[in-house]
Every structure is written in structure tokens, then in C-alpha cells.
């Protein structure tokens, strides 16, 4: 008997074909949007799922899916999964670390550059036909090379951004993290450990790469924004909810910081309406890992996690330990 699995999102045909070799697969190539109740009902008819970070597998969903054995999240972040509750029910959880680190760090740096140098704002100006003459102060932004880069959350992606800043742009890198890096890792990134307060006060560019949890909710709110330099930029490629988006929109409108670059939003795909009306923010729709090669690697790893667990009792990149 083949396991019945559900793939919650559209996915590469090659990856789907690979899953079909092993399982009885329900796909969502039609990109249907399901309510939580519909998702729970569909999941309850399968023994495993390939999910994205937008598909909840929390206590409420789990209560409706007693036969569930494995969930492979096609993302490195997994705040959509209640891993302790899954472990208690003997359900294997996995994510897709490592394969997206460099691509996501590239994007973090691209967003920093676009934000500091006002690339999208100036493009919109040009497209509106408002470019009449060269001016010395036209879209003059914030310096990137040689400036101070502050990274909040120094995991694999944070370190990738630090390396780019230090080695490529001669930036002074400071960071804050729950735990300090080893001296070797600090020296590879040329990064100096500082308190969160010092980072906010001294960085020219603050990049957020912390994982989301109730403890990291609104890591950056009105009080933290008030500590930042008025010339500073804030980049969020972590998760919606790390930043208080309403407070950020006020700080941007009142020019209490210079600009922000956001790839993730509280309650996405909805975006706080005030962020849509301030000019000094670059907005992208949660695409930091979106190169074709990396998305293929993520989908393949998620599929392989399911295949490996359901056929051999062992995921490649598990998030918990359960009996097969
Ligand atoms: C994307 O946000 C991820 O966690 O991989």
C-alpha cells in the first residue's frame, strides 16, 4: 500500500513526478487557496504532507489529523509547525536548511542595496515621467561600502550577509545573537558581538535574520526604532511579526529612520496599508530564496525528506526525533 501524501503548494513537475514514484499523491498545481478548516480536512485524508511556511500544522490542525506521520516544510523557517506537538504525536517534522543560505544572503544584500540607494523609489519616479533634469540631490541615499552593518540573528544566513558586507564592501560588521559565535566564525565574518541596544544605536544598516517565535514577536517596535539613527535603514528578511509593521510605517513617514526594505510582513500576503503609501520602503513578496536553482533544491530536499522517512524511517534534515 502506497502512503497517501498531499503537496499543499504548486511545485516543479519533476519533483512531483519523483513523489509519484513512491506515493499516492494529491497535488495543488491549481494553486487553490484553502481555509484552515479545508486544509485540515484535506490533510486528515493523508499520512504525510509537503508544506510551505504558509501552511499551518498547529495543535488545532493536528487534532483533526490523527493518522499524520510526516510533514516536510519547504522552507528553513518552521514557525508554521508546532514541532513539540508533532513530536508528542510521533510525527516527523523536517525543513530545508543550508540549500538556501547563500541565495537568501544574496537577496538580503540586494534588498539592503536597493533600500539604501533608493533604487525602486527612483525607478517609480522615472516611470511616472517625472525625470526632467539631473540634480545633485536627486535620490541621494545612504552609503553602503565602508558603513556599519548590524546583523540581528547570526545564523547561517546572517553569517552569509556578514561575509558579503565585510569582504565585498569593506563594511564594519557588528552582530547580536542569542549566543555568541566561536572566535573562528567571528573572524571569518570579521564580525564583532555587541548588545542589541548598541547595534541599534550604531548600525547604518540593520538586517534582521532572527527566527520567529512568540519570544521574538516585535523584536523591532517603536522603542527600538527610536534607538536607530535617523539616517539608518532597516531590512527584514526574517519573518513577518519580527517587526511591528504599523510602528515602522510611522517611523518611515516621520523620517525617524531613512528607509526600510521588507520581504516579509505581519499577516502576509496582506501588507499593512500604511507601508504601501510611504515612499521610503522597498517591498518584495517573500522571495528571498527565490532563484530557480535554490527553489528546485528546496523542493527536492523536502520531497527527499518525505521519501527517506516514509521508506527508510529517517529524514535527511529532521527537526525532531520520533520513532518511524
Ligand atoms: C523562507 O522564508 C524560509 O524560511 O525558507
Amino acid at each position: 500500500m502506497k502512503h497517501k501524501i498531499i503537496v499543499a503548494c504548486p511545485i516543479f513537475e519533476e519533483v512531483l513526478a519523483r513523489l509519484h514514484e513512491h506515493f499516492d499523491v494529491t497535488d495543488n498545481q491549481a494553486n487553490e487557496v484553502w481555509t484552515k478548516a479545508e486544509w485540515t480536512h484535506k490533510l486528515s485524508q493523508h499520512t504525510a504532507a509537503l508544506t510551505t511556511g504558509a501552511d499551518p500544522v498547529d495543535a488545532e490542525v493536528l487534532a483533526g489529523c490523527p493518522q499524520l506521520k510526516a510533514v516536510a516544510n519547504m522552507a528553513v523557517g518552521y514557525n508554521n509547525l508546532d514541532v513539540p506537538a508533532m513530536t508528542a504525536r510521533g510525527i516527523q517534522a523536517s525543513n530545508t536548511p543550508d540549500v538556501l543560505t547563500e541565495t537568501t544572503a544574496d537577496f538580503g544584500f540586494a534588498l539592503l542595496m536597493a533600500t539604501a540607494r533608493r533604487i525602486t523609489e527612483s525607478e517609480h519616479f522615472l516611470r511616472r515621467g517625472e525625470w526632467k533634469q539631473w540634480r545633485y540631490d536627486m535620490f541621494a541615499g545612504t552609503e553602503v561600502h565602508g558603513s556599519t552593518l548590524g546583523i540581528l540573528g547570526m545564523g547561517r544566513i546572517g553569517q552569509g550577509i556578514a561575509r558579503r558586507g565585510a569582504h565585498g564592501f569593506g563594511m564594519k560588521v557588528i552582530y547580536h545573537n542569542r549566543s555568541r559565535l566561536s572566535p573562528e566564525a567571528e573572524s571569518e565574518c570579521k564580525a564583532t558581538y555587541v548588545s542589541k541596544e548598541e547595534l541599534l544605536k550604531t548600525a547604518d544598516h540593520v538586517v534582521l535574520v532572527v527566527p520567529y517565535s512568540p519570544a521574538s514577536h516585535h523584536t523591532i517596535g517603536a522603542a527600538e526604532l527610536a534607538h536607530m539613527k535617523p539616517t539608518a535603514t532597516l531590512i527584514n528578511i526574517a519573518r513577518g511579526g519580527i517587526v511591528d509593521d504599523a510602528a515602522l510605517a510611522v517611523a518611515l513617514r516621520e523620517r525617524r529612520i531613512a528607509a526600510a526594505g521588507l520581504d516579509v510582513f505581519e499577516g502576509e500576503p496582506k501588507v499593512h496599508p500604511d507601508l504601501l503609501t510611504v515612499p521610503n520602503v522597498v517591498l518584495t513578496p517573500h522571495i528571498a530564496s527565490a532563484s530557480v536553482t535554490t527553489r528546485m533544491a528546496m523542493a527536492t530536499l523536502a520531497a527527499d525528506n518525505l521519501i527517506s522517512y516514509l521508506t527508510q524511517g529517517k529524514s535527511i534534515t529532521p527537526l525532531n526525533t520520533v520513532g518511524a
Side-chain angles (χ1 to χ4, degrees):
M1 262 295 268
K2 282 182 167 181
H3 283 286
K4 287 183 73 177
I5 73 153
I6 181 162
V7 180
C9 51
I11 202 165
F12 297 93
E13 289 295 343
E14 302 92 307
V15 176
L16 209 49
R18 188 159 155 59
L19 287 168
H20 274 289
E21 286 169 19
H22 298 270
F23 309 122
D24 180 357
V25 182
T26 303
D27 68 46
N28 185 17
Q29 297 300 80
N31 202 13
E32 286 175 13
V33 178
W34 301 320
T35 63
K36 194 168 177 187
E38 288 166 342
W39 161 236
T40 307
H41 178 67
K42 284 181 189 292
L43 189 59
S44 72
Q45 295 163 348
H46 299 83
T47 48
L50 192 154
T51 54
T52 69
D55 305 306
V57 183
D58 56 17
E60 191 186 346
V61 171
L62 289 169
C65 304
Q67 79 315 323
L68 197 61
K69 291 192 179 329
V71 175
N73 214 34
M74 188 183 142
V76 65
Y78 52 89
N79 54 299
N80 58 313
L81 309 181
D82 184 338
V83 177
M86 292 172 75
T87 309
R89 289 173 178 270
I91 300 166
Q92 171 78 94
S94 58
N95 66 341
T96 57
D98 300 321
V99 292
L100 49 65
T101 301
E102 297 302 328
T103 300
T104 305
D106 281 350
F107 187 88
F109 219 86
L111 196 52
L112 189 164
M113 297 286 285
T115 303
R117 299 301 307 277
R118 305 176 65 180
I119 288 177
T120 55
E121 194 186 348
S122 60
E123 187 195 350
H124 292 149
F125 166 88
L126 181 151
R127 285 178 187 269
R128 287 194 304 267
E130 291 175 23
W131 183 22
K132 304 291 181 219
Q133 85 225 88
W134 186 92
R135 270 185 61 101
Y136 74 98
D137 59 351
M138 195 165 71
F139 296 104
T142 314
E143 208 74 274
V144 175
H145 74 273
S147 64
T148 299
L149 171 61
I151 302 176
L152 212 47
M154 199 63 153
R156 289 164 284 218
I157 298 168
Q159 291 175 48
I161 293 169
R163 284 194 303 273
R164 282 160 177 76
H167 300 291
F169 288 79
M171 296 169 96
K172 175 180 175 198
V173 180
I174 55 178
Y175 78 98
H176 183 74
N177 198 43
R178 266 176 312 183
S179 50
R180 202 170 156 168
L181 297 184
S182 66
E184 297 74 37
E186 281 189 353
S187 105
E188 197 197 323
C189 301
K190 295 195 187 174
T192 305
Y193 184 83
V194 295
S195 68
K196 181 179 162 192
E197 290 66 33
E198 187 178 343
L199 184 145
L200 292 172
K201 279 191 186 133
T202 55
D204 296 307
H205 307 284
V206 175
V207 180
L208 305 173
V209 211
V210 277
Y212 182 83
S213 71
S216 62
H217 185 72
H218 287 186
T219 294
I220 301 293
E224 290 74 19
L225 290 161
H227 283 130
M228 290 174 64
K229 293 180 181 181
T231 50
T233 63
L234 177 72
I235 308 300
N236 187 9
I237 56 163
R239 272 291 181 274
I242 298 288
V243 175
D244 177 344
D245 285 350
L248 175 61
V250 172
L252 290 168
R253 192 181 302 285
E254 296 178 357
R255 304 271 167 181
R256 284 196 255 122
I257 67 169
L262 308 173
D263 187 48
V264 287
F265 303 87
E266 284 189 282
E268 63 186 49
K270 288 200 185 113
V271 175
H272 193 291
D274 292 353
L275 288 173
L276 296 172
T277 59
V278 283
N280 47 342
V281 61
V282 179
L283 307 168
T284 52
H286 202 148
I287 55 167
S289 63
S291 74
V292 178
T293 306
T294 291
R295 284 288 164 86
M296 175 60 96
M298 291 165 68
T300 303
L301 178 54
D304 285 347
N305 270 324
L306 288 182
I307 295 166
S308 184
Y309 184 69
L310 294 174
T311 65
Q312 294 160 37
K314 202 169 175 341
S315 280
I316 299 160
T317 48
L319 289 166
N320 58 358
T321 305
V322 290

